[in-house]
Amino acid sequence: MLSLEQVKQSLESAGQTHILQFWPELCEVERDSFLQELSQLDLKGLKDHCVGAARAAASPPASLDQHIEPVPPESIGSVRKSDKDSLAEWENEGLLQISENRVGVLLLAGGQGTRLGVQYPKGMYNVGLPSGKTLYQIQTEGIHKIQELADKKYGSKCTVPWYIMTSEFTLAPTEKFFKENNYFGLEPSNIVMFEQRMIPAVTFDGKVILQGKGKLAMAPDGNGGLYQALVDNKVLEDMKKRGVEYLHVYCVDNILVKMADPVFIGFCVSKGADCGAKVVEKAYPAEPVGVVCRVRGVSQVVEYSEIQPETAELRGPGGELVYSAGNICNHFFTRAFLQDVAVKFIGQLEQHVAFKKVPFVDLCGNQVKPTKPNGIKMEKFVFDVFPFSRSFVVFEVVREDEFSPLKNADGAATDNPTTARNSLLAQHCRWVTAAGATLLDEHGNAMPLTPSASAGDSHPALCEISPMVSYFGEGLEQLLKGRTLPTPLILDEQRAKELQAQ
């Protein structure tokens, strides 16, 4: 730990002496704690961080319209447009890699559920499914099932290790939650939790914000903090030791995520890619999602604020949007590429500005909760490494099958617990119907699968299928064909055994 004098000198050279303005009012314990926090801060880089944040906040985003072009067709695979033989080959390739212990999954889970209205990690959230499962449990069961499918096909006994990036806010509660739930049946040694760095929030004129008299306002450094965290926590060494060559990286809040998706992994491996992005077709030109495209010949994600409406609205000869590849934070990386990023490119990652309402103490030491943005948090994004890829590919999937994020509390128009729950239930209704079964309502009447219910924007039947029974709809026909099933239906392993015995 640094001495008070060392900290004072560093803060003076960074122009941040206000940080210690309440030092005389702190008790011994508070002083020790604050000194510990300040010692862990990158005090040498603090000035650059604060000056850079203030400069970035004052600069409007540059328009990239003159420099962008779509990803070339030869770099794109698609669930809808690629032929069935190719899709089957990619799936087999992905399952082969999984069976040989060469695939890991990496979860980005550093954020709290603040927008959801909860103070615990999003992965612990229960969206109100009939089973009461949390996002973490659904994802764990997906890992169990994909291991089982790979073992069944190739006669292996494989392991898909799960790397979970947390933050100071989410590490302890996530560890506790998994321990209390016996890791949902996974071997604890195959779940590797690690922490991303925290960085200070600053005012618009570049001063670090005090959250308390002896506490800085800190925030995770964005999901692009992954690359530094891999280095800090020696995660790449762990991957190498296990023989993991390919990583499926995803964000915690997508209830429809396909864990270690063999089709996506197989596509990327078959194409010799070092980096890949899953995308969904944008719902409409102005949808506020980043677009995967090329800028000056280099693959990257362009934020919706960086292109003009007329560019976003451009359409091709078939009426389709030219810039339609919506980014969903679902990526493929080779371990070799991540190693390259860690060694060569980590200092070149772009910083993004986020304007936030940051609670602070005023000059009199009073706690203030601002009603409008008062601070800047600098973030890196996981996709900031795309420009460094030597072989980048895109894989387009169907939104209602693979993307329904949980970001907001109920009451918000989109991306809330109700939309997430309905997306999953509607998908499971489609699977049951495709398997040749009929769902019955509470009166015993057959329930039609309406187009709106299939899109997940209505009130689908209460029909939930455990990932332990089916990963993505496979294996249900032999179990359900010709049956009429009353709802609510929870098709878990026990219920599947009962149906098999009938």
Side-chain angles (χ1 to χ4, degrees), residues 183-353:
Y183 301 90
F184 300 103
L186 287 178
E187 177 60 47
S189 63
N190 294 326
I191 301 177
V192 180
M193 295 186 198
F194 60 101
E195 209 173 322
Q196 69 184 111
R197 287 187 180 183
M198 304 286 283
I199 54 172
V202 303
T203 60
F204 298 138
D205 56 355
K207 297 292 182 188
V208 171
I209 296 174
L210 283 173
Q211 183 182 309
K213 291 181 180 180
K215 178 85 179 139
L216 302 180
M218 302 289 283
D221 54 355
N223 58 27
L226 166 67
Y227 308 106
Q228 186 64 56
L230 292 176
V231 174
D232 292 346
N233 299 282
K234 298 185 165 45
V235 178
L236 291 167
E237 287 88 328
D238 181 271
M239 292 171 181
K240 186 176 184 180
K241 193 174 70 187
R242 293 173 188 264
V244 170
E245 297 295 336
Y246 308 114
L247 277 302
H248 174 218
V249 178
Y250 71 100
C251 209
V252 69
D253 59 12
N254 179 12
I255 199 169
L256 297 181
V257 66
K258 289 176 72 179
M259 302 292 286
D261 176 11
V263 185
F264 180 42
I265 290 164
F267 167 72
C268 294
V269 171
S270 298
K271 292 286 184 184
D274 56 9
C275 178
K278 261 192 190 185
V279 300
V280 296
E281 190 176 342
K282 283 180 69 172
Y284 52 95
E287 185 182 10
V289 295
V291 172
V292 181
C293 57
R294 283 190 172 183
V295 179
R296 300 180 182 91
V298 176
S299 301
Q300 68 180 72
V301 173
V302 171
E303 288 300 309
Y304 61 95
S305 57
E306 295 175 316
I307 54 175
Q308 299 299 319
E310 51 268 31
T311 303
E313 288 164 13
L314 286 174
R315 294 189 180 270
E320 73 287 352
L321 288 173
V322 171
Y323 298 104
S324 66
N327 179 48
I328 60 171
C329 194
N330 196 317
H331 308 308
F332 166 93
F333 298 117
T334 62
R335 181 176 56 79
F337 176 70
L338 292 176
Q339 191 71 50
D340 261 4
V341 169
V343 173
K344 301 176 190 171
F345 305 122
I346 211 159
Q348 299 175 40
L349 293 181
E350 192 180 338
Q351 294 268 16
H352 304 266
V353 179

Side-chain angles (χ1 to χ4, degrees), residues 31 40 61 76 161 233 252 311 334 337 376 384 392 405 435:
R31 287 181 176 186
Q40 290 171 350
I76 301 174
N233 299 282
V252 69
T311 303
T334 62
F337 176 70
I376 305 160
D384 289 332
F392 179 80

